[in-house]
Amino acid sequence: MKAVYGEMCLDVSTVRRWTRRSREENTSESTVHDQASTGRPLSASDSKHQSRVDQLIRENRRVKQIGISIEIGISQERVHHIITNLLGYRKISARWVPRMLTPQMKLQRVQICRELLAKFDEDGEDFLRQVVTGDESWVHHYDPESKQQSKEYRHRMSPSPKKFKVFSFTRKVLLTIFWDSEGVVHTEFLEQGNTVNSTKYVNTLEKLKARLRRVRSEKVSIIHHDNARPHTSLETRTASDPLGLRTLPHPPYSPDLAPSDFFLFPKLKYYPKGNCYEADKDVKNAVLGAETTLLTFLLTASNRLSVGGGSVSNGTVIMLKNDMSPGAK
């Protein structure tokens, strides 16, 4: 056999051992083929292991699947199957919130939202059209363009463009802006070396009042700003009454209820991104130019919603209603 099959042939001792075993066993039951195996017992996903996995997860919500696999003695694939398909768990990240609100803050947040909704139910759209929102934000001399702005057409076989990490310039100008449903009402830039305090903010409100007499003389305006110290100081509140400027209450630590943060400033800073400005006046001109573009956007969006039977203020009302629950934050 070795002469025919070479080194791949079985050894003679193996052939003799098989022959002897075949003689000793029953000829009808002996076979040279592999017998069918029952396979691995399907016990890794039974109720016992499910209960153990559930117990480990309840003890440590951040436990890893490899740790459960080692602890129980089953494969990681079975652990994943038990967690996702049998127990219905999913591993999610915690939602980022700007601040942990106390029960008193949550209650105050609900009360303020109810007051605003009550005013809306009483006056309707006219109430929201009276609101003039104000806020401050820094505008840098150079702000890197976003990934959305850096998109460009390429063929499928062309290499993808690379975008390196670039930081904003330290030189910047503080912008103070007031706007309503019709557009930007008043814009002001802080001069270098100054700071926004109560006296400065009262001066800004006086300029805003004069501006409102010229461009919004037919309606009563209600000021909406956040709870920064210059906005809520005694000097500011005392000066607001003679000016005839009512102020909307703003819940503590609630940037989601300040439209400037999530609506105005991202769009206002979108157009100057990617441009490098040498002087403060160049930054101011760029912001003023972006205001014109933003005003066109606001009017277009308002017209589209009006044609469709909606309104720009419906989003504000829905936001307030979603925030009525004390456990919302």
Side-chain angles (χ1 to χ4, degrees):
M1 293 178 63
K2 283 191 175 182
V4 177
Y5 296 103
E7 296 297 332
M8 300 299 297
C9 181
L10 292 175
D11 187 77
V12 63
S13 59
T14 303
V15 176
R16 291 174 179 173
R17 184 172 64 255
W18 286 5
T19 304
R20 184 173 59 256
R21 183 181 300 175
S22 177
R23 291 174 181 175
E24 295 174 355
E25 295 179 356
N26 189 354
T27 308
S28 60
E29 297 179 358
S30 62
T31 177
V32 295
H33 301 287
D34 293 336
Q35 297 180 357
S37 174
T38 58
R40 185 174 181 177
L42 299 178
S43 59
S45 303
D46 57 8
S47 59
K48 175 183 177 182
H49 288 91
Q50 293 181 33
S51 301
R52 182 58 177 154
V53 171
D54 185 57
Q55 179 184 358
L56 293 176
I57 292 178
R58 292 179 181 275
E59 292 175 356
N60 182 12
R61 294 288 180 172
R62 298 184 179 182
V63 65
K64 297 183 180 298
Q65 294 183 9
I66 185 63
I68 298 177
S69 174
I70 296 174
E71 178 72 20
I72 300 180
I74 61 177
S75 66
Q76 188 174 347
E77 184 273 334
R78 287 292 89 188
V79 172
H80 177 77
H81 174 73
I82 293 175
I83 293 176
T84 58
N85 298 332
L86 300 182
L87 297 180
Y89 281 108
R90 59 193 184 101
K91 204 168 190 178
I92 58 176
S93 301
R95 188 181 67 169
W96 184 90
V97 293
R99 188 180 179 89
M100 180 66 69
L101 300 181
T102 64
Q104 292 77 11
M105 291 179 179
K106 293 180 181 180
L107 181 60
Q108 184 180 2
R109 183 182 175 97
V110 173
Q111 292 175 347
I112 291 177
C113 290
R114 286 176 176 170
E115 293 178 7
L116 297 179
L117 285 174
K119 293 180 181 179
F120 175 79
D121 293 337
E122 181 180 353
D123 300 333
E125 297 285 337
D126 293 336
F127 165 67
L128 294 178
R129 292 193 183 99
Q130 295 174 358
V131 178
V132 178
T133 303
D135 207 346
E136 298 89 7
S137 181
W138 289 104
V139 182
H140 295 266
H141 280 232
Y142 175 75
D143 201 6
E145 63 180 4
S146 63
K147 292 186 65 176
Q148 185 74 18
Q149 290 176 298
S150 62
K151 286 184 176 180
E152 57 186 42
Y153 285 103
R154 294 290 185 97
H155 290 289
R156 294 191 176 184
M157 302 304 297
S158 300
S160 301
K162 294 182 179 180
K163 184 177 178 64
F164 299 96
K165 187 175 181 63
V166 182
F167 297 94
S168 303
F169 281 9
T170 55
R171 296 178 59 189
K172 53 190 177 181
V173 180
L174 184 64
L175 166 68
T176 302
I177 188 170
F178 291 88
W179 59 290
D180 59 5
S181 60
E182 300 180 28
V184 178
V185 178
H186 177 66
T187 303
E188 185 174 319
F189 295 94
L190 184 67
E191 298 297 333
Q192 295 292 340
N194 296 334
T195 184
V196 178
N197 51 27
S198 300
T199 304
K200 176 63 178 177
Y201 193 70
V202 169
N203 181 259
T204 301
L205 292 180
E206 293 174 352
K207 296 179 182 179
L208 173 64
K209 182 61 178 180
R211 176 70 175 170
L212 289 172
R213 291 195 186 101
R214 295 195 300 269
V215 299
R216 303 288 192 271
S217 57
E218 71 283 357
K219 70 177 184 181
V220 178
S221 299
I222 306 174
I223 303 301
H224 176 220
H225 48 208
D226 56 22
N227 295 322
R229 180 63 63 183
H231 301 170
T232 58
S233 65
L234 178 61
E235 181 179 353
T236 302
R237 288 185 278 113
T238 303
S240 299
D241 296 334
L243 294 175
L245 296 175
R246 291 188 297 161
T247 303
L248 282 181
H250 187 77
Y253 303 105
S254 301
D256 56 324
L257 297 182
S260 299
D261 291 334
F262 61 84
F263 176 78
L264 178 67
F265 290 144
K267 292 180 174 60
L268 190 64
K269 297 180 181 180
Y270 177 84
Y271 301 98
K273 281 180 176 290
N275 298 320
C276 184
Y277 302 101
E278 296 294 336
D280 291 350
K281 64 178 182 179
D282 298 330
V283 179
K284 299 176 182 178
N285 292 334
V287 172
L288 294 177
E291 286 181 7
T292 305
T293 306
L294 182 61
L295 176 60
T296 305
F297 170 80
L298 285 172
L299 295 177
T300 304
S302 178
N303 293 334
R304 288 178 179 175
L305 288 174
S306 298
V307 171
S311 64
V312 177
S313 58
N314 284 343
T316 304
V317 177
I318 294 174
M319 177 180 61
L320 292 174
K321 289 182 178 179
N322 292 338
D323 206 64
M324 292 292 291
S325 173
K329 291 291 178 183

